[in-house]
Amino acid sequence: MGREPGHALTGGRGAVLRRALLGVVILAAFAILVGLGTWQLERLAWKEELVAAAQERPNAAPVPAPGPTTWDDLAIVDWQYRRVRLAGRFGEGDASVWIALTEPRGPVGGPGAMTMAPFVTAEGWTVLVNRGFVPDGAVGASPPAGVVTVEGLVRPDDPPSFATPEPDLARNLFYARHIDAIARALGVSGPVAPYQVDLVAEETPAGGLPQAGESRVSFTNNHLQYALTWYGLAAALVGVVGVALVRRRSVRS
C-alpha cells in the first residue's frame, strides 16, 4: 500500500528542515571557532605589549609602592615587575620558600630558599619582601635594623596548587610564595599588601646573602598556539563538511 501524497510532502519538508538546521549549526560552530581564534590573536597582541612593558619596568625609576587605598582596584598585571620604593622597618622573623635556582644572576645558585620577611612601612601597613636567595647549608645576614628605604620589583601572590607540598610550619619553610599563609605564619598583624616585593640586586648585604635581584621577568604566552588550534578546528570542520557533501553527491549519482 503506497504512501499518501500528504505524507510524502510532510516527509520532504522534514528532511529540508533537518538539513537547514544542520547547516545553521555548522555555520554557527564555524563562526565560533573563527571568533575564538581571532580573540586569541587579539590577546597575543595585548600580551606582547605587556611583555615589552615588563621588560622596561625593572630599569625604570622607582615609584612609591601602592598603599591600602588602591588595593581594592589594584590591577596587578599593570604593576608586575614595576620598581617601587619602600620606607619603613623590617618586622620580626622570616620565612623560607624552597627553590632550585638553576640560572642565578648572582654568584650562587642551586637548591636553597628565598628569604621572605615582613616590611612595615612608615604608613603602618605591611608588605612581604623577598630579601633574596640563600643556598642550602648557608645562613643569610639579618635584615638591617631601624628605619630604612629599600627598592624592589612588585610580584603577584603565588598561592599553592594541588601539587604543592604542604609547608613545614615548624621551620617556616614553604613551597609557594602565598602571601596569606606566610603572613599568618609570621604573625603579621594589620593590613598586608596583596602583592610582594623582590628586592633588587643593589639591596644584597655586604656578606652576599641573601642574594637579591633574582626576579625572572616572564609571562606565559600561548595565545598564538591557541589561535592556531581554533583556526585548525575551523578548517577541519570545513574539510569534514566538504567530504560529506562530496560523498552525498556520489551516492545520488
Side-chain angles (χ1 to χ4, degrees):
M1 187 173 180
R3 292 183 178 180
E4 296 181 3
H7 289 166
L9 183 58
T10 301
R13 284 179 178 174
V16 171
L17 287 174
R18 286 194 294 272
R19 287 196 294 272
L21 180 60
L22 179 60
V24 170
V25 171
I26 291 172
L27 288 174
F30 179 78
I32 290 172
L33 292 171
V34 171
L36 287 171
T38 302
W39 175 65
Q40 287 295 338
L41 287 181
E42 293 172 351
R43 295 279 294 174
L44 174 63
W46 167 80
K47 183 62 71 66
E48 288 177 342
E49 291 179 1
L50 179 63
V51 170
Q55 295 290 343
E56 298 174 359
R57 289 174 185 172
N59 300 317
V63 298
T69 58
T70 68
W71 293 348
D72 288 343
D73 301 318
L74 186 69
I76 190 62
V77 72
D78 295 332
W79 278 91
Q80 191 168 357
Y81 303 115
R82 190 179 295 277
R83 189 167 179 140
V84 296
R85 180 183 290 116
L86 293 164
R89 63 178 68 232
F90 283 96
E92 295 293 329
D94 58 39
S96 299
V97 180
W98 188 89
I99 186 175
L101 192 60
T102 56
E103 298 180 0
R105 293 181 174 176
V108 296
M114 294 295 184
T115 301
M116 305 295 297
F119 187 90
V120 184
T121 67
E123 292 80 18
W125 50 275
T126 301
V127 58
L128 286 183
V129 167
N130 173 17
R131 297 185 57 226
F133 175 75
V134 177
D136 283 348
V139 178
S142 299
V147 176
V148 295
T149 299
V150 296
E151 293 184 7
L153 307 183
V154 172
R155 297 294 302 274
D157 192 14
D158 183 23
S161 69
F162 70 93
T164 305
E166 289 295 319
D168 182 349
L169 296 179
R171 296 191 295 159
N172 275 352
L173 176 62
F174 294 80
Y175 297 91
R177 290 170 51 172
H178 188 200
I179 293 172
D180 285 347
I182 295 175
R184 285 197 304 270
L186 296 178
V188 176
S189 60
V192 179
Y195 57 85
Q196 48 197 305
V197 172
D198 286 357
L199 295 188
V200 294
E202 296 89 330
E203 301 292 346
T204 300
L209 295 176
Q211 180 174 281
E214 293 297 340
S215 294
R216 291 295 180 269
V217 179
S218 62
F219 290 88
T220 301
N221 189 2
N222 297 320
H223 296 298
L224 180 58
Q225 176 184 339
Y226 296 152
L228 293 176
T229 299
W230 292 121
Y231 285 142
L233 290 173
L237 177 62
V238 172
V240 169
V241 172
V243 169
L245 291 176
V246 170
R247 288 182 177 177
R248 183 181 180 84
R249 290 181 180 177
S250 297
V251 171
R252 285 185 173 181
S253 60

